[in-house]
Amino acid sequence: MDVIRIRGGKRLHGVVPISGAKNAALPVLCATLLSDGESLLRNVPRLRDIETTAALLRFLGRNVEVDTPLVRVSGNGEPRPEAPYELVKQMRASIMVLGPLVARYGRAKVSLPGGCQIGTRPVDQHLKGLEALGATIRISRGYIVAEAPSRLRGNEIVFDLPTVTGTENLMMAAALAKGKSTLVNCAHEPEVEELALVLNKMGARVNGAGTDVIQIEGADELAPFDHAIVSDRIEAGTYMVAVAAAGGDVLLENAPLEHLEVLAVKLRAAGVEISREGTAVRVRRDKPLRPVDVTTAPHPGFPTDMQAQFMVLMCLAEGTSRIVETIFENRFMHVPELGRMGALIDVDGHTAHVHGGRPLSGAKVMATDLRASASLVIAGLVTAEGETDVQRVYHLDRGYDHMERKLAAIGADTQRIKGDEHIKGDEA
Ligand code: EPZ
């Protein structure tokens, strides 16, 4: 397994190109199952999760050419409507082939994703929504077996809580259902809006994406599409925090600041300068950091996917801050690893109190999930002495395109030490 080795203490200067959004590219790739012909995706990030989704689409019978930032998906006729455990366990977002397969071919067999490091991650909302559209669902030996003997029919679906991939799965199913569907209590994430843009390009009629209520007029047939994926707000946010932590002055090219307002407000409160310069976002920090309290929430609230990274920043602030994680039940696994680097963080259930202002020192640390990995790399950037080896970086590679290279390009002392690859469970 690869290790990323970081020597701290370097301020960061230069330009970081922000890639396409992983969590937009994944549902859009699944949407290619809704039509025949060749679809073209542009600005796709070079990530393990993209390769995993390509492998899944190939397993289903589609032709997929990954030449990032371009991905071509083509193929006609009914695919093999099965997503096997071996692929789904690598990436829970594989569940998003369920809606398209049932809507288009009337049947699908998709492995239950199971839990992961950050939580049990149930998919009950996905299944309830498909039943509301007329599918029959049964669980058999770890697999979801969904059937729709006749075409799905539009209906009203109320989510018990906002779920990003649940909203996306049902949008894709409803796009080919007969008649109108109304999805209520939807996730507002920008990635949901991106999928709606693509479904409308394909010939569906989707209105209200980005709000609580999404109205969808199902089409009898959908067409392939050509679409450039929106920039990744979480990648951009991660580099914003990295510069805030290490100090310096960096431009983030194509960073979607409009999707990062809450993070920007919190960073400014901590003493970080955030400003827009053309299509770039400029991040500067050269004075002491102030403690800031944060509670994660569905979009447009503070993103849970930025919680671990922001916690590292608070370890450097002069004082105590409170971080509350409300989305997942176990998303503080970076805390013990940060503790091994000298951080003082008290966890009580969903609340962490970060006692900042203590110097961090380099250590061997273990990545446990995608965003925790990123937080450990950021911690390595700011150690007062020693070097940090972040192990199990396959977690990092799922969601960040060679983070060590992008950091080295702006002055960080980071390098990747190759090891033998092992693919483990997933959490995204
Ligand atoms: C998406 O996961 C993202 N992944 C996650 O990003 C992100 O952390 C999460 O949304 C929250 O923003 C992708 O978009 C591929 P949810 P998702 O369904 O859709 C509960 C990353 O780092 N829930 O919005 O799986 C669930 O347990 C990854 O890129 C149910 O109870 O998350 C959680 O507590 C990690 N039943 C809450 O809802 C359901 O049927 C929100 O989960 C579905 C979800």
Side-chain angles (χ1 to χ4, degrees), residues 22-23 26 92-93 96 118 120-126 161-166 168 189 304-305 327-329 331 370-371 427-428:
K22 167 177 88 81
N23 290 350
L26 299 182
R92 2 172 355 85
M96 286 192 287
I118 62 179
T120 52
R121 311 288 295 278
V123 291
D124 57 301
Q125 302 296 309
H126 299 240
L161 78 172
T163 156
V164 178
T165 52
E168 292 162 347
E189 270 67 8
T304 174
D305 291 350
I327 305 294
F328 291 112
E329 60 265 38
R331 205 169 195 177
L370 170 52
R371 307 307 173 178
E427 70 288 323

Side-chain angles (χ1 to χ4, degrees), residues 31 49 350:
D49 275 9
H350 289 252

Side-chain angles (χ1 to χ4, degrees), residues 20-29 41 168 190-191 194-195 229-230:
K22 167 177 88 81
N23 290 350
L26 299 182
V28 170
L29 280 166
L41 288 79
E168 292 162 347
E191 294 77 32
E194 184 79 353
L195 177 63
I229 298 292
V230 67

